[in-house]
Amino acid sequence: MITDSRPAAPAPPRLRREVRHAGLVAALVLLALVGLVTRPDNFATSANLVGVLALASTIGVITVGMTFVIIGGGIDLSVGALMALASVWATTLATQSYGPAVMVLCAILVGTGAGLVNGLLISYGRLVPFIATLAMLVAARGLAQRMSDRRTQLVRPENDAIEALSTGRILGLPPVVFVFAAVAAAGWVLLNRTTFGRRTFAVGGNPEAARLAGIDVRRHTLLLYALSGLCCGIAAIIIMARTTTGSSTHGDLYELDAIAAVIIGGTLLTGGRGSLVGSILGVLVFTLITNLFILNGLQTSDQLIAKGAIIVAAVLLQRRGLRTPT
């Protein structure tokens, strides 16, 4: 009797992605159950759920841009600092004197412009993404501190249209949640239904093969970092609406939260494969963890340890999933 000793073929990428998404949904359900058991009076309230979605909106918009960058084979450590810089620039007295529309435009232009600088340094200056964006992180924080003189800048009462993005309600939810939903939907279409998205996967998977196929890898890399900067500018608008301030301390460690959400969502750190839906689910997982720690009065240090453990576990699972039987 002859038996086939060949190893079983690995599961197709789409099946693995769906399994991962199902696992993240199960994690969300489990976290919700923990919240209902440990803090039944506080967790299930509408105010708490709205707060979770508002916090997820800020980090989630940044995560959309981070997903594109990592799928494209890069990394962006400057996103939190760019958000802070955009919020400070948009809330200076000079900018606020022109009204909320100019404040929004300023935040978007500052974020996109800084992202373009990252892209130029990486694609045309041939700097390693880690080094280029780390330098931008330090420089953007320093510039934000210099502009604000290390003070928190308040949104003036005449510009309360900014605050209304957080305090208003549409179908029971603040408008910032719909801003996040719109950015996520646009990002999904861009990644999965356009030539730009296909080129992003190609550049991240094999830059040389992408170049030989006729893709301008340097220009595409530049656009990826500009997109990440754009998302930082939009996140700055959300954080201004939520806090009615612009501050150089905004976005502290947001880059770690965004990268962690992308990783546990199934995107490879080496690029070429990823899922925006998984990244959004990752954002919700981390936001719920943060919320549960706050409600239960646990220390921030414990929260960081838990997040670190989740990141390590996600990377180990990625490596295991990439192994093929020999």
Side-chain angles (χ1 to χ4, degrees), residues 80-81 83-84 87 141 152 239-240 243 245-252 254:
M83 187 186 78
S87 75
R141 285 284 180 199
T152 299
I239 199 71
M240 287 190 300
T243 65
T245 64
S247 174
S248 60
T249 62
H250 282 330
D252 187 33
Y254 273 25

Side-chain angles (χ1 to χ4, degrees), residues 164-271:
L165 291 174
S166 180
T167 58
R169 290 294 182 270
I170 300 175
L171 300 177
L173 296 173
V176 293
V177 175
F178 293 96
V179 171
F180 169 40
V183 171
W188 186 90
V189 172
L190 185 62
L191 184 63
N192 297 284
R193 293 292 184 268
T194 68
T195 302
F196 184 88
R198 290 191 292 272
R199 289 177 176 174
T200 300
F201 283 106
V203 169
N206 191 326
E208 182 60 21
R211 185 186 68 81
L212 293 174
I215 298 175
D216 189 335
V217 175
R218 290 192 297 180
R219 185 180 68 179
H220 193 82
T221 301
L222 173 66
L223 293 176
L224 287 176
Y225 283 93
L227 178 61
S228 179
L230 171 64
C231 289
C232 292
I234 297 173
I237 298 168
I238 294 176
I239 199 71
M240 287 190 300
R242 290 180 52 226
T243 65
T244 65
T245 64
S247 174
S248 60
T249 62
H250 282 330
D252 187 33
L253 295 181
Y254 273 25
E255 57 275 0
L256 298 184
D257 284 344
I259 293 171
V262 172
I263 292 172
I264 71 170
T267 298
L268 292 182
L269 277 174
T270 52

